[in-house]
Amino acid sequence: DAGITQSPRHKVTETGTPVTLRCHQTENHRYMYWYRQDPGHGLRLIHYSYGVKDTDKGEVSDGYSVSRSKTEDFLLTLESATSSQTSVYFCAITSGPSGGARETQYFGPGTRLLVL
Amino acid sequence: KQEVTQIPAALSVPEGENLVLNCSFTDSAIYNLQWFRQDPGKGLTSLLLIQSSQREQTSGRLNASLDKSSGRSTLYIAASQPGDSATYLCAVREGSGNTGKLIFGQGTTLQVKP
């Protein structure tokens, strides 16, 4: 599992409340990613990080922000949760020989978020 | 914009059958292609990774092939077992930059009946 944990694993919240999801890795990987998985859409990239305090937007970044103050932690924040953000959220890291083509992506167990 | 398509969306086969899952992508400029397995309610498990310079990779009963020029990959599962029942996802890593971003297909849900 490449030492990836996500917390919480399940969360129910109300529309308009802020929510923060945490991804923690223990193996000092440089690249970390947040995806969401929805029926009919598959997995889509929200944000990613290429180092401490270095982040960039993915395909579906609206309504989300991220922070990475330490190598091991990558936080995803929904500033004001909406029902459309009900989803399963996966964190991932890239591992393997540097240089791109042989790097494999490993995923955390996921966080199920329900916004009422 | 890269698009990844997996056909069929669902597949049901009897135990012991050999089967092929298909993945196609629109832009051949990829770094690599990865096949994942996802069990219901679980995360993704990496099965095979094919570098852009490779034609195939094998792991046990699994064999994945890559034809960049035609934008296609196949995952071959030999002698299928009920334990192979899961959703199989393919994802391409784009060739531009070194960010490692993956573009996923929507998956093929496989059911292997005893």
Side-chain angles (χ1 to χ4, degrees):
Chain A
D1 63 358
I4 306 168
T5 57
Q6 293 184 231
S7 59
R9 295 293 313 280
H10 302 269
K11 186 170 183 65
V12 180
T13 191
E14 293 185 349
T15 298
T17 60
V19 176
T20 295
L21 309 182
R22 179 186 185 230
C23 177
H24 180 77
Q25 54 120 341
T26 60
E27 299 182 4
N28 206 35
H29 298 292
R30 178 184 175 191
Y31 285 90
M32 299 183 75
Y33 311 83
W34 277 108
Y35 293 87
R36 60 178 289 175
Q37 185 176 33
D38 306 286
H41 292 279
L43 277 104
R44 294 176 292 174
L45 182 67
I46 305 171
H47 281 281
Y48 67 98
S49 170
Y50 47 96
V52 173
K53 297 186 180 180
D54 292 322
T55 64
D56 205 348
K57 296 178 180 181
E59 179 186 0
V60 290
S61 60
D62 288 348
Y64 302 95
S65 62
V66 290
S67 65
R68 193 169 179 197
S69 58
K70 299 184 290 184
T71 298
E72 58 266 35
D73 288 326
F74 191 32
L75 304 180
L76 177 70
T77 298
L78 291 65
E79 301 290 347
S80 178
T82 67
S83 59
S84 65
Q85 293 176 312
T86 292
S87 186
V88 181
Y89 291 86
F90 288 101
C91 175
I93 60 92
T94 297
S95 178
S98 61
R102 289 184 292 166
E103 291 179 329
T104 302
Q105 202 150 112
Y106 295 96
F107 285 75
T111 294
R112 292 185 176 275
L113 177 66
L114 174 62
V115 183
L116 300 175
Chain B
K1 178 184 175 184
Q2 178 77 267
E3 293 183 0
V4 180
T5 304
Q6 291 186 246
I7 295 173
L11 183 62
S12 180
V13 301
E15 181 177 5
E17 192 163 298
N18 301 325
L19 58 100
V20 174
L21 306 181
N22 297 295
C23 173
S24 62
F25 47 95
T26 55
D27 187 345
S28 62
I30 64 171
Y31 264 28
N32 61 37
L33 183 144
Q34 205 165 344
W35 282 93
F36 295 88
R37 169 185 172 137
Q38 185 176 30
D39 293 291
K42 304 293 185 181
L44 281 70
T45 301
S46 179
L47 297 174
L48 289 165
L49 180 143
I50 311 178
Q51 300 175 52
S52 59
S53 59
Q54 296 176 325
R55 294 298 296 256
E56 66 178 324
Q57 281 288 329
T58 297
S59 176
R61 294 183 294 108
L62 305 180
N63 176 276
S65 68
L66 174 65
D67 184 343
K68 272 183 54 177
S69 61
S70 66
R72 295 187 180 191
S73 176
T74 62
L75 180 66
Y76 175 83
I77 302 176
S80 58
Q81 303 170 359
D84 294 330
S85 298
T87 296
Y88 291 82
L89 297 151
C90 74
V92 300
R93 177 171 170 175
E94 295 189 295
S96 59
N98 192 27
T99 60
K101 293 184 288 184
L102 297 182
I103 309 297
F104 281 85
Q106 294 194 24
T108 294
T109 298
L110 172 66
Q111 181 184 32
V112 181
K113 297 179 178 179

